[in-house]
Amino acid sequence: LLDLFHPFHLANNFIAAVLVSVSLSFSTLGASLLFNVSTGIMTRRVVENPMFASKTPSEFWGRKWNNLVHSLLKKGIYKPVRQLTSSSKAAIFSAFVVSGLLHEYVWAIL
């Protein structure tokens, strides 16, 4: 347990998180640019510098990190379940479960 809080371990994880964030920012920006140039359709940014532009965890997950999946889960899962059940807890739980299943699927095909 103490190894988890060792400075080298924490620094390694921080560097890995920054590299993932930067690579996602630039790769999605490049893909968006290619799509825009080839089709003329404007795209939204998928990630918006989440590691350093976010002030709270809520802002990180809700506004800066993977906006595409966030909006799809909100429109496709959260809002329909909320309307069907009138329960925000059921809607949140449903979106969480679907998000988890999507993550498992992505890791399985990688």
Side-chain angles (χ1 to χ4, degrees), residues 41-85:
I41 299 172
M42 295 295 294
T43 59
R44 293 188 328 159
R45 294 192 67 171
V46 177
V47 291
E48 298 181 20
N49 190 18
M51 288 291 293
F52 301 107
S54 302
K55 294 177 179 61
T56 64
S58 178
E59 184 180 15
F60 177 90
W61 292 114
R63 294 184 198 100
K64 302 290 184 188
W65 181 259
N66 208 343
N67 293 321
L68 177 64
V69 172
H70 174 80
S71 64
L72 289 173
L73 286 171
K74 188 172 185 177
K75 291 176 187 174
I77 305 298
Y78 178 83
K79 286 184 177 181
V81 172
R82 178 79 190 257
Q83 288 178 345
L84 187 66
T85 64

Side-chain angles (χ1 to χ4, degrees), residues 26-37:
F26 284 113
S27 64
T28 57
L29 184 62
S32 294
L33 179 63
L34 287 174
F35 184 78
N36 181 299
V37 168

